[in-house]
Amino acid sequence: MQYQGREISSTYVRDAVKQGEMELVTKLLGQPYHVGGTIVHGRHLGTGLGMPTVNILPPPEKLLPPNGVYYSYVMMNGRIYLGITNIGTKPTVSGEAVMGVETFIYDFDQDVYGQDIQVYLLHYKRPEMRFHGIEALKKQMATDIAAGRESWTEHIIYGNIFYFANVDIKKEQCYNQSVTICNIFVTS
């Protein structure tokens, strides 16, 4: 198979992931690229800022896109939750080089430590940055979260998925039981 005149291969997919071209990766794979893991405790900084995140530590061999902020959704316990994800080392608040994936889930306030999730990366928004203090970081996080929320109300996600609220995935609503090709219309 080819896409835009180029043979679809693992090299093509890896190159697109390494460039953060998540829309292209979705087209090549037929579904969004994802990172999975068990939710672990972080430093609870996001909670203290009023923007709690779920954190996973990807295995070192997992191919990750460039460090940065991504529009995303997570699959957890058979449900999809809309989010915005940071991939990286959190340079403003950590001097360690530990690679992490942390996701702010919109309209979500549950204790989910120890649960397994899949984080699906849809669109690269911006690179990870070091800020001049927590207040600057908080301001940027609020801006990113607002932009992500706006994106969800404006865009049709690949495969004609419309999201206006967190929804249950029901297999009868899907073809091939694939999240990316479900036709889900939620109005509440």
Side-chain angles (χ1 to χ4, degrees):
M1 289 183 64
Q2 291 194 336
Y3 181 75
Q4 295 183 339
R6 182 173 171 184
E7 184 76 25
I8 296 175
S9 65
S10 58
T11 299
Y12 191 6
V13 173
R14 279 193 305 272
D15 289 347
V17 170
K18 288 176 186 177
Q19 294 297 316
E21 296 176 7
M22 306 321 293
E23 292 90 346
L24 174 59
V25 173
T26 298
K27 289 175 184 172
L28 297 176
L29 292 176
Q31 67 177 17
Y33 191 74
H34 68 276
V35 181
T38 301
I39 299 171
V40 298
H41 285 275
R43 297 175 63 196
H44 300 277
L45 178 64
T47 300
L49 296 174
M51 301 173 219
T53 60
V54 294
N55 301 281
I56 60 174
L57 300 173
E61 66 274 8
K62 178 66 177 178
L63 176 64
L64 294 173
N67 290 8
V69 176
Y70 294 82
Y71 297 145
S72 62
Y73 66 87
V74 301
M75 176 87 95
M76 179 172 48
N77 297 324
R79 280 189 70 118
I80 287 180
Y81 299 91
L82 310 179
I84 188 163
T85 298
N86 183 72
I87 295 178
T89 60
K90 305 181 229 180
T92 303
V93 298
S94 176
E96 302 172 15
V98 176
M99 185 62 68
V101 176
E102 61 178 336
T103 302
F104 172 84
I105 301 173
Y106 292 96
D107 307 315
F108 186 83
D109 185 21
Q110 297 178 29
D111 181 352
V112 292
Y113 294 110
Q115 294 189 34
D116 291 332
I117 64 169
Q118 301 291 323
V119 178
Y120 292 83
L121 304 170
L122 302 171
H123 173 77
Y124 176 76
K125 179 172 183 346
R126 66 169 180 82
E128 184 177 52
M129 302 183 300
R130 179 183 303 272
F131 294 93
H132 297 290
I134 298 299
E135 284 305 312
L137 172 63
K138 181 179 179 179
K139 182 178 179 183
Q140 184 61 56
M141 286 174 65
T143 299
D144 291 341
I145 289 168
R149 187 178 300 278
E150 184 69 22
S151 173
W152 288 113
T153 61
E154 290 180 356
H155 291 86
I156 299 172
I157 301 171
Y158 180 74
N160 296 322
I161 301 176
F162 294 78
Y163 290 105
F164 296 96
N166 294 329
V167 297
D168 284 310
I169 292 296
K170 295 183 176 32
K171 291 182 181 176
E172 61 271 11
Q173 293 175 301
C174 305
Y175 303 95
N176 300 328
Q177 300 172 1
S178 171
V179 171
T180 58
I181 53 178
C182 294
N183 292 303
I184 302 171
F185 300 90
V186 179
T187 57
S188 60

